[in-house]
Amino acid sequence: MMNCFGTKIDSYRPVVRLYILLAIGCTVLLVKQQLCAAEFAPHDAPSIAELLLVTRPVREMEEAELLKLVPEQSGLHYVGCPNCKGGRQENQLTWSHERPDEVSCQFCNHRYPSEQYPMNQSVVVQTPSGRSASFPYWADANGYRYFFRSKRDTEARAYIADQARNLALLYQATKDPQHARRALLILDRFAQLFPDWCYHYDYPFQQKEIYDGVVTPENFRRGFRTARWSWWAYNDIPFPLVQAYDWIANSHALAEFSRERGRDARERIERDLIRAACEQVLGNEEAYSNMSPRAWHALVVAGRVLREPRYVHEVVRRVERFAATQFFYDGIWSEGSPDYAWQSVEGVRSVLGVLQGYSDPPGYLDVVDGTRFDDLDLKSAFPVLERAHESLRLWHLPDGRPVPVHDTWSTSRRGGSNQTEPYLLPALGHACLGGGSSGDQTQFHLTWSGGYGHSHGDNLSLLLFAQEKELLSDLGYTHTAYRSWTLATAAHNTVVIDGCNQSLGNLRSPTDGSLIDIDLNNSQIQYIHADGKRGYPNLAEVFERQLVVVDAGAGQRFALDVFQVQGGRTHDYFIHGYADGLSTVETSLAMVDRDNLLPSRAQWEPTKNEGEAGRIAQPFYAYGFLRRLRTAKLIAGNAIPVSFLLAKEASSQPAGVRVIVLPESDSELILGENPSIRQAGENDAELDKHHRPFLIARHHAQRGRSQFVSLIEPFSGEPVVRNLSRVPDPGGGLILRVELKDRIEWFVFGAEKEVVLPLTQNAPAATFQGKFGCLIQRESLIENVYALGNSRWILGSTEIKGTREHAVLRRIENGSLVVDRDSHVPPDKGSVILLQTADSWSYPFTIRDVIEEGATLKLVVVEGASLKYDASARQLQLASFPARTHSGQVSLEWSTSADSRP
């Protein structure tokens, strides 16, 4: 026998694999769909014995009892427990078929409905077909409504729909018509009741709304928030029932059931259940969000099951637009979160999988665009998906955790790495500096990405991974009551101005930072300089961070961190320690206790749920999460070591991170703790029991300008850095002397005039001028010098210099940026060039090749043809997300470096 797409199904072969629980409300076994397409040939199945076990409760029920499990009206998902503070996001209540009329709290075990929380009020509305429906609830003193029976209905709906799928799967395995009949009983009952299911708005910590009568698409809430089957219309196609129907559609049970009931069961299931749900989902305004592929996947499957090519063609159009408009030119998903990038990329791939091999019915032409599909194959049609996969392959920590930029779960894992190589995600705005292999990998991450959804106030935020741990942490994503804290700029390793949160950004008010300079190609020194002032619109005049990562040998690395800020009056340089376990922060400086860092007379209370996350926009609100405070005044120029120490096991050496701060005048050091979030395990009741240490170097910037200078060194046992000091420069540059066990390393930043380094032990004279340079001195010998950009060293009669090149963009040609040859020093392969617009936007690109053609240089870039440039109109169009247009002259800049061992 063949199923509806010509796949042979006579003999049983494995047709499913166990799903990770992705869909809200899914229970028991979730199995991969058996589509009528070759790509989904049966594999990875649970055994018949496992299927018999999981379906046993519904197989042993009387048919009437089974049908009672199908809810007569739509349910609600987000119904919390008013009896305790456990869990998070109104997800505390659970349900079991063994007690089908109740729900219970998994934390306090209170069962609902109860005498203490009687559902003595109701919302009464008309259903879409005109009948009356009542939704009982209990309301608290503030009038917030708890629909316990509706929670029961949504859980029962998920359970019984999954069981219909499991029964149909069991029919495929055994050809026992009784399994098909039971699946059909459930399908038909849903089809009978679904027309009366009410539209609703179901969102955490917001009053639930149940709509009266029919809701037409023009009245749907934006973002697919008007739903019927589930809590979110992206999930409103009843996918388990579509699968179940597909798997029993050619069984004799369907015809026999129709004869028995005196009506066409097939027509009712297709029209009143599957097609009605599909049309409702299509009625929503497409947002091209990270959830869109889930709806498209279900639409394609439903279209193939129903033989409705209109659904398939509509999805293909949407996928094409999605791929063209929702990814940065380096392949990163527009929201800038690794988790949501994976969800979006894998979601589209799943859609391409169910499209594979599709053919339209004979003679069909789509009414929208006139297209026709025969043996459809789109798997290689979207190169951006391959770029995305390559970027995501880089964008994780050595332990497999995605780098926590914006909303990223700390519990996610994508596979670890045995080798760290520095990299840049140029369009997003993120870089990894460091190196090492196996357990000795060190990674310093710096992000300057903009906010386009699921964003944090984290511009120019730093993260450190070393000793197989995220030692300086970014908390990432949470749905707990303290989500506000994780969004706060103060929760990140960056600088806070006047207690204010950075803007979270959007397309109208972008917060993207800019890369100013970078060199990741030197084996000993890696350098990056980025600007993040758009994160503080109308407040920051200067907001720049320079990070230098140095290979100190023997698998040890340290970083020099120079953070320049101008604007506002109080500048707080934050560093947060280990969030995944016990750790402390210590210093030898004498400190005194302090109650809080809030403005005088400020009334503060913690957020009660994630629905209050917007309070983080209030200046200094985030500082209420800072506890157990100690403070001390600092003396300008006196290096202050602060150690973040991991909890020491009995046999281990001291380990952690040492931060040496070089303060300015009018500075103080503040140490304390704040909620670690991660250790609470997404349980609100645990949030105040787990903390991570932090430091603030606070500068009272009377002139509105601060320069934070620090050295950050992960260590195990004895730190490699012996001392850090600043050497005065009358010209205003920054000269740092780093003393190690066997050498001295000198670093010079922004020396506008020549400076002569005060080398020791009769070393030869060394003069430097320019943007950035490093000199390594071992006893009386100069071992190495490095210069980047417009910089030069003079060692006796020897000059070592880098350059900063500027060129005007002439045209874009087949993925190459073409400039006049002139006397430019060409960039090296693998280096980065910056495309600069007249309105101060900077777009980095990575050099793949440099081709000299007559009077021009063709700079072939890795990121390809992601730009359109009309030279005559002087108009630049960013072809990928966020599709900006710039007018005026476009220039290219790049730095070259020099590295010499005299």
Side-chain angles (χ1 to χ4, degrees), residues 569-571 633 665-668 698-703:
R569 292 300 182 196
T570 301
H571 300 158
K633 297 292 184 182
S665 59
D666 296 320
S667 295
E668 61 181 309
R698 169 170 283 186
H699 183 226
H700 300 279
Q702 299 303 317
R703 297 183 179 179

Side-chain angles (χ1 to χ4, degrees), residues 203-206 479-481 483 607-615:
Y203 195 83
F205 307 111
Q206 295 191 23
H479 282 309
T480 62
R483 173 160 170 73
T607 44
K608 298 180 180 64
N609 56 63
E610 68 169 337
E612 298 181 348
R615 294 175 66 183

Side-chain angles (χ1 to χ4, degrees), residues 187 193 254 362 383 539 671 802 814:
L187 278 163
L193 296 172
L254 191 57
L539 184 56
L671 306 181
N814 298 323

Side-chain angles (χ1 to χ4, degrees), residues 107 111 202 204 217 353 449 460 541 568 575 689:
F107 296 94
R111 306 196 73 85
D202 183 4
S449 61
L460 296 192
E541 301 170 45
I575 295 289
K689 299 178 183 178

Side-chain angles (χ1 to χ4, degrees), residues 51 136 657 808:
L51 287 170
V657 185
V808 175

Side-chain angles (χ1 to χ4, degrees), residues 405-641:
V405 177
H406 301 318
D407 275 347
T408 301
W409 291 107
S410 65
T411 52
S412 297
R413 292 294 184 275
R414 307 294 182 197
S417 59
N418 290 320
Q419 186 77 28
T420 286
E421 298 289 344
Y423 63 83
L424 170 69
L425 299 175
L428 171 73
H430 183 92
C432 171
L433 287 69
S437 59
S438 301
D440 289 331
Q441 296 177 77
T442 298
Q443 295 184 355
F444 288 88
H445 288 265
L446 182 65
T447 189
W448 59 97
S449 61
Y452 298 101
H454 284 283
S455 55
H456 291 198
D458 60 357
N459 219 319
L460 296 192
S461 181
L462 180 70
L463 179 147
L464 168 62
F465 184 98
Q467 301 170 34
E468 303 183 81
K469 294 178 175 63
E470 189 184 326
L471 294 179
L472 300 182
S473 63
D474 181 318
L475 296 173
Y477 203 8
T478 184
H479 282 309
T480 62
Y482 287 178
R483 173 160 170 73
S484 58
W485 169 239
T486 66
L487 299 176
T489 303
H492 296 81
N493 299 311
T494 186
V495 170
V496 176
I497 301 177
D498 290 347
C500 295
N501 207 51
Q502 292 179 11
S503 169
L504 298 183
N506 54 50
L507 283 169
R508 293 183 299 276
S509 302
T511 57
D512 310 53
S514 298
L515 183 64
I516 296 175
D517 217 338
I518 189 169
D519 183 7
L520 302 182
N521 296 329
N522 189 280
S523 61
Q524 191 165 1
I525 296 171
Q526 297 162 23
Y527 173 89
I528 189 167
H529 184 185
D531 177 290
K533 63 176 173 289
R534 287 194 190 94
Y536 275 119
N538 305 316
L539 184 56
E541 301 170 45
V542 176
F543 198 73
E544 296 179 9
R545 193 167 202 165
Q546 297 176 77
L547 189 70
V548 182
V549 174
V550 180
D551 186 345
Q556 295 177 291
R557 287 173 172 79
F558 65 87
L560 288 171
D561 186 19
V562 180
F563 209 131
Q564 305 271 4
V565 183
Q566 184 170 341
R569 292 300 182 196
T570 301
H571 300 158
D572 289 336
Y573 172 89
F574 274 89
I575 295 289
H576 297 274
Y578 185 51
D580 293 302
L582 296 177
S583 62
T584 57
V585 59
E586 298 180 2
T587 182
S588 59
L589 195 66
M591 307 193 77
V592 297
D593 293 341
R594 181 167 178 172
D595 289 337
N596 61 64
L597 296 175
L598 298 171
S600 60
R601 297 188 299 278
Q603 299 296 315
W604 189 90
E605 60 179 23
T607 44
K608 298 180 180 64
N609 56 63
E610 68 169 337
E612 298 181 348
R615 294 175 66 183
I616 207 65
Q618 302 170 19
F620 284 101
Y621 179 80
Y623 285 58
F625 290 102
L626 307 178
R627 299 154 188 174
R628 303 182 71 175
L629 303 175
R630 297 171 287 153
T631 185
K633 297 292 184 182
L634 299 178
I635 300 174
N638 280 15
I640 304 299

Side-chain angles (χ1 to χ4, degrees), residues 102-103 125 229 240 244 348 421 425 455 514 559 595 610 642 788 821:
E102 300 176 349
V103 289
V125 296
W229 173 262
V348 173
E421 298 289 344
L425 299 175
S455 55
S514 298
D595 289 337
E610 68 169 337
V642 179
L788 176 67
R821 176 70 177 86

Side-chain angles (χ1 to χ4, degrees), residues 253-513:
L254 191 57
E256 291 175 0
F257 186 85
S258 296
R259 285 195 298 271
E260 173 189 318
R261 300 300 170 97
R263 51 180 158 72
D264 189 343
R266 183 189 301 272
E267 180 183 7
R268 180 154 80 174
I269 293 167
E270 291 189 1
R271 181 194 62 213
D272 295 343
L273 180 62
I274 301 174
R275 195 176 293 274
C278 290
E279 295 297 333
Q280 177 216 326
V281 170
L282 282 171
N284 285 270
E285 179 184 355
E286 181 58 71
Y288 297 98
S289 78
N290 56 62
M291 285 294 295
S292 293
R294 180 172 296 188
W296 300 341
H297 184 280
L299 275 168
V300 172
V301 175
R304 300 190 72 163
V305 170
L306 298 178
R307 298 179 177 83
E308 176 52 85
R310 180 166 59 91
Y311 297 164
V312 177
H313 280 257
E314 180 59 31
V315 167
V316 170
R317 281 189 290 271
R318 295 187 185 194
V319 169
E320 289 172 346
R321 179 165 176 76
F322 186 82
T325 64
Q326 298 303 305
F327 292 86
F328 289 105
Y329 62 77
D330 54 13
I332 292 298
W333 169 247
S334 57
E335 290 175 305
S337 154
D339 271 344
Y340 282 102
W342 275 105
Q343 176 179 317
S344 302
V345 171
E346 292 306 311
V348 173
R349 287 193 162 191
S350 77
V351 176
L352 300 183
V354 295
L355 287 167
Q356 184 73 16
Y358 169 79
S359 294
D360 285 325
Y364 179 83
L365 293 177
D366 187 71
V367 296
V368 175
D369 57 19
T371 56
R372 172 179 176 78
F373 299 144
D374 290 287
D375 196 19
L376 190 61
D377 182 2
L378 298 175
K379 286 196 168 181
S380 59
F382 305 107
V384 69
L385 298 181
E386 295 307 314
R387 291 200 300 273
H389 250 278
E390 180 62 21
S391 295
L392 288 170
R393 184 189 65 78
L394 295 172
W395 203 17
H396 59 77
L397 302 177
D399 63 358
R401 175 182 287 170
V403 180
V405 177
H406 301 318
D407 275 347
T408 301
W409 291 107
S410 65
T411 52
S412 297
R413 292 294 184 275
R414 307 294 182 197
S417 59
N418 290 320
Q419 186 77 28
T420 286
E421 298 289 344
Y423 63 83
L424 170 69
L425 299 175
L428 171 73
H430 183 92
C432 171
L433 287 69
S437 59
S438 301
D440 289 331
Q441 296 177 77
T442 298
Q443 295 184 355
F444 288 88
H445 288 265
L446 182 65
T447 189
W448 59 97
S449 61
Y452 298 101
H454 284 283
S455 55
H456 291 198
D458 60 357
N459 219 319
L460 296 192
S461 181
L462 180 70
L463 179 147
L464 168 62
F465 184 98
Q467 301 170 34
E468 303 183 81
K469 294 178 175 63
E470 189 184 326
L471 294 179
L472 300 182
S473 63
D474 181 318
L475 296 173
Y477 203 8
T478 184
H479 282 309
T480 62
Y482 287 178
R483 173 160 170 73
S484 58
W485 169 239
T486 66
L487 299 176
T489 303
H492 296 81
N493 299 311
T494 186
V495 170
V496 176
I497 301 177
D498 290 347
C500 295
N501 207 51
Q502 292 179 11
S503 169
L504 298 183
N506 54 50
L507 283 169
R508 293 183 299 276
S509 302
T511 57
D512 310 53

